[in-house]
Amino acid sequence: MNDTEATLLSHAYDSPATRISLILGTGCNAAIYLPVAVISRHKFGTRPSNWIEAANSVVVNTEISMFGREVFPLCDADRQLDRDSPHPGFQPIEQLTSGRYLGEICRLTMVEGVRHGSLFDQVLPGGIEERFSLDTDLMSALEEKSIEESAKLLMELYRFSKSPTKQDITFVQSVCLAVSERAAIYLAITLFTLWRLRRDSQALTPTETEISAESSKTVVIAYCGAVVEKHPTLRFRCQEILDLLVETEVGNKETIRRRLVLEPAYDSGLLGAAVGAMMNGLNENSVPMAKLRLIIHDSNRNASLYMANYIVERIAAFAPTSSRPFVLGLPTGSSPELIYKYLVTFFKAGKVSFQNVVTFNMDEYVGLPRDHPQSYHSFMFTNLFSHVDIRPENVHILDGTAKDLKQEFEAQIASYGGIELFLGGVGPDGHIAFNEPGSSLASRTRVKSLAQSTVAANARFFPGDSSRVPKMALTVGIGTIMDAREVAIIATGPGKAKAVKMGVEGGVSHLWTISALQMHPSWLLVVDEDACQELTLEIVNYFKDIERVGSGPVINQTLEPASSKTRKKETGMSKL
């Protein structure tokens, strides 16, 4: 369950007319309550034979941010924003309505006004070309402040050669108002379309219960998120447009404001999670709840130190022997480099031994020989294996030069009873291992083509030349990772903030493969403050509070080591 579904659940608990929920903060999403009969049965996975007959309705996570391509009119700033995004055309509605992008659209329009008009006397202020330098909070303030106050805000943000004129500020304010107005209109159209979808699907499968529930002629849209909560102009305008759309559809002015109503649902994400947990507990056949521990540190160094200590303590608690080794999954790249340095330091200090540790690496480039300096085989021996006491026969790394790339990696993992702890990083686009956006959440070890964004990101390891980066790689699959008894992910730096948000707060989606870990029964996510930038404040505070309350030795808060015989039934793959 994600935050959007939680919002619908929690508000419906108090307001039974709630049928749609909206999250509008740094991102945009909606959930809707639909009849089970209009959803393809395969979407529900394996269920008892009488489940479909007994269930009437289902809460659907729409991933509405990805809709609207080639539907809404765009301006030059929109097209530029989309071209600069990691995945052009991927989230049209989110780019037109959410807090991450509204301020950026205003900034791009201002730059265009300087270059092709007379704004700021055709002189670009210092700093205005920096992407996302104008955030949506400031945009909202510019709409509401006086000319003088708005000028002061802009001059604090950007470096002007001379003070902007009254006409300059008036233009900037009109741009901010226009962007907000348009966002409200597009948002209202989106919500209205969902309402019509629900109404039409209800007409196809009417039931006495639903007809009774709809008889009040009121459908509530529960909303939360910084933009829709703190930007009253946008919210009120969205309600006005909804009223006009419903009036056009229904033709009864007396019932307009009772037919489709925006209502605030503050703190709904956490409240909805509680309601969901309660409902899950009522089902005696329910699968054990997934568990996430989110650990937040002030720096990459401290986050990496925490993770290294965690690995050392997990190995010690497992007490491995030659006949019962600790099986550890390992990543490469920049994310684990500091972790490996700390592990080497701990080994030299006598705090950990790797003699009875078996390792399986996540991935390897196709076509690079093992002795190539940028092969992941070279990386692992350079950064870790050559400095500790691990047995060479216990190291398992995919071979990118093998004649038959269909290697028996999965069988090797199974022969050790599965992976006890899988350490990993995450890419800016949310990929784990080389499971790029669009990868199957049931995938196993295979050859995978690399996304252009991944190739560009890894060019720094090939003297800045992306043409030298291999375009294919061998990688474990999401299913492989989900079969591990515990997964530990590290994410640091602002470039990982969106991936962290989608992994923690977004819905489970093959477009953000990190999100699959929401279904894992034991997932540890260690981040620094920069990687938390896009998480809602309530979520950050919630996990910080949990750690304060439950502070103590790290290992006491983990699962007891399982025998290899019980690992499989406790993994998260069955839940997917």
Side-chain angles (χ1 to χ4, degrees):
M1 181 174 63
N2 69 1
D3 54 351
T4 316
E5 295 161 323
T7 298
L8 197 158
L9 266 178
S10 65
H11 204 67
Y13 193 72
D14 289 327
S15 180
T18 306
R19 293 293 181 271
I20 301 172
S21 63
L22 168 70
I23 301 290
L24 190 62
T26 54
C28 174
N29 198 8
I32 187 169
Y33 182 74
L34 292 175
V36 165
V38 301
I39 307 295
S40 298
R41 290 199 175 194
H42 76 274
K43 292 286 187 179
F44 297 109
T46 303
R47 300 281 178 175
S49 58
N50 64 343
W51 186 88
I52 295 289
E53 289 71 24
N56 290 323
S57 301
V58 61
V59 176
V60 178
N61 168 33
T62 66
E63 294 292 355
I64 199 67
S65 67
M66 294 186 289
F67 288 80
R69 187 175 185 182
E70 298 181 357
V71 173
F72 295 114
L74 304 177
C75 66
D76 288 343
D78 300 320
R79 297 184 186 94
Q80 181 64 49
L81 177 64
D82 190 52
R83 284 194 296 270
D84 292 340
S85 69
H87 303 290
F90 179 49
Q91 293 178 307
I93 287 178
E94 182 164 307
Q95 288 184 350
L96 293 166
T97 62
S98 76
R100 175 169 173 78
Y101 299 108
L102 295 182
E104 178 67 357
I105 294 170
C106 292
R107 183 195 69 82
L108 288 168
T109 304
M110 289 163 57
V111 170
E112 187 178 356
V114 174
R115 288 174 173 165
H116 304 291
S118 58
L119 184 64
F120 306 141
D121 208 19
Q122 294 189 314
V123 177
L124 285 170
I128 198 171
E129 293 184 281
E130 181 182 341
R131 295 183 65 204
F132 296 100
S133 56
L134 178 64
D135 62 35
T136 301
D137 284 344
L138 180 58
M139 183 194 97
S140 178
L142 291 172
E143 290 180 42
E144 300 173 357
K145 299 290 186 182
S146 66
I147 295 289
E148 292 76 15
E149 290 173 315
S150 295
K152 183 178 179 182
L153 288 172
L154 276 178
M155 293 176 72
E156 289 173 353
L157 179 64
Y158 299 126
R159 301 181 299 279
F160 288 83
S161 57
K162 65 178 184 178
S163 299
T165 65
K166 180 179 179 179
Q167 288 78 12
D168 291 333
I169 300 302
T170 300
F171 174 81
V172 170
Q173 289 181 322
S174 68
V175 168
C176 294
L177 283 166
V179 170
S180 294
E181 171 90 359
R182 188 187 66 168
I185 293 170
Y186 288 178
L187 192 63
I189 292 170
T190 301
L191 294 170
F192 176 76
T193 303
L194 288 176
W195 174 71
R196 285 195 59 179
L197 170 67
R198 173 176 164 71
R199 188 199 62 179
D200 293 347
S201 64
Q202 195 60 45
L204 290 172
T205 58
T207 65
E208 290 184 8
T209 302
E210 281 301 311
I211 291 171
S212 173
E214 299 294 330
S215 63
S216 66
K217 305 297 183 184
T218 297
V219 171
V220 171
I221 302 171
Y223 68 80
C224 72
V227 173
V228 73
E229 288 176 9
K230 299 177 182 179
H231 200 318
T233 304
L234 186 147
R235 182 172 74 249
F236 294 149
R237 185 58 175 148
C238 184
Q239 183 65 68
E240 289 177 351
I241 301 300
L242 283 171
D243 294 342
L244 289 171
L245 290 168
V246 174
E247 178 185 358
T248 302
E249 182 78 8
V250 177
N252 186 345
K253 244 183 174 179
E254 295 304 315
T255 61
I256 291 172
R257 282 173 170 75
R258 297 192 296 112
R259 292 301 301 270
L260 201 53
V261 181
L262 288 166
E263 286 188 3
Y266 303 115
D267 297 324
S268 57
L270 296 180
L271 291 171
V275 174
M278 177 187 71
M279 294 172 67
N280 189 74
L282 296 175
N283 179 5
E284 62 182 13
N285 297 317
S286 61
V287 181
M289 298 278 292
K291 183 181 79 172
L292 163 65
R293 280 189 69 203
L294 176 61
I295 308 295
I296 303 169
H297 284 279
D298 60 355
S299 66
N300 174 35
R301 182 171 296 277
N302 285 333
S304 299
L305 177 59
Y306 180 96
M307 189 68 89
N309 270 309
Y310 187 81
I311 294 168
V312 169
E313 292 182 12
R314 285 284 278 113
I315 293 172
F318 191 91
T321 64
S322 58
S323 60
R324 183 177 173 270
F326 185 88
V327 185
L328 180 63
L330 293 174
T332 51
S334 57
S335 294
E337 280 185 317
L338 257 182
I339 298 172
Y340 293 158
K341 286 182 180 179
Y342 284 124
L343 287 176
V344 171
T345 300
F346 293 153
F347 165 72
K348 291 180 177 179
K351 295 181 179 180
V352 65
S353 170
F354 292 86
Q355 279 195 344
N356 295 318
V357 173
V358 171
T359 65
F360 286 88
N361 265 81
M362 281 187 164
D363 39 37
E364 177 60 284
Y365 287 120
V366 169
L368 287 191
R370 291 188 171 193
D371 58 356
H372 189 285
Q374 296 307 326
S375 75
Y376 288 154
H377 187 279
S378 295
F379 177 95
M380 290 306 304
F381 277 87
T382 299
N383 288 278
L384 180 62
F385 295 151
S386 295
H387 310 287
V388 298
D389 60 345
I390 193 166
R391 295 186 174 98
E393 63 269 23
N394 286 350
V395 173
H396 300 84
I397 303 175
L398 290 157
D399 184 359
T401 61
K403 292 182 179 179
D404 182 5
L405 293 177
K406 296 178 181 179
Q407 303 172 50
E408 299 299 319
F409 210 61
E410 300 282 339
Q412 290 178 325
I413 293 173
S415 71
Y416 285 97
I419 292 174
E420 182 68 20
L421 174 65
F422 221 134
L423 173 67
V426 60
D429 59 2
H431 73 261
I432 47 178
F434 273 136
N435 294 285
E436 304 282 17
S439 296
S440 167
L441 299 186
S443 56
R444 315 304 297 192
T445 303
R446 67 210 186 284
V447 177
K448 186 73 178 167
S449 297
L450 302 185
Q452 185 56 43
S453 58
T454 301
V455 172
N458 288 350
R460 65 189 188 279
F461 301 117
F462 292 81
D465 184 358
S466 60
S467 67
R468 299 173 62 185
V469 181
K471 304 304 186 290
M472 301 181 74
L474 282 160
T475 180
V476 296
I478 297 298
T480 317
I481 296 168
M482 292 294 289
D483 276 350
R485 186 158 181 275
E486 183 178 13
V487 179
I489 299 292
I490 186 164
T492 59
K496 306 297 178 70
K498 182 70 171 180
V500 169
K501 175 180 175 60
M502 298 305 293
V504 174
E505 298 180 3
V508 176
S509 170
H510 65 293
L511 296 174
W512 294 87
T513 53
I514 186 177
S515 67
L517 296 177
Q518 293 177 23
M519 302 296 291
H520 199 283
S522 186
W523 172 28
L524 173 68
L525 177 59
V526 180
V527 300
D528 63 3
E529 294 284 355
D530 284 343
C532 291
Q533 288 178 4
E534 296 203 25
L535 289 178
T536 57
L537 182 60
E538 292 84 358
I539 293 295
V540 172
N541 289 338
Y542 170 73
F543 281 103
K544 284 184 175 180
D545 287 344
I546 286 177
E547 292 308 311
R548 278 194 288 268
V549 171
S551 61
V554 172
I555 203 63
N556 291 339
Q557 299 175 47
T558 66
L559 299 173
E560 289 297 319
S563 69
S564 61
K565 293 181 180 179
T566 63
R567 282 179 192 156
K568 189 170 183 180
K569 73 175 184 179
E570 294 177 332
T571 63
M573 195 57 221
S574 60
K575 301 178 75 176
L576 278 176

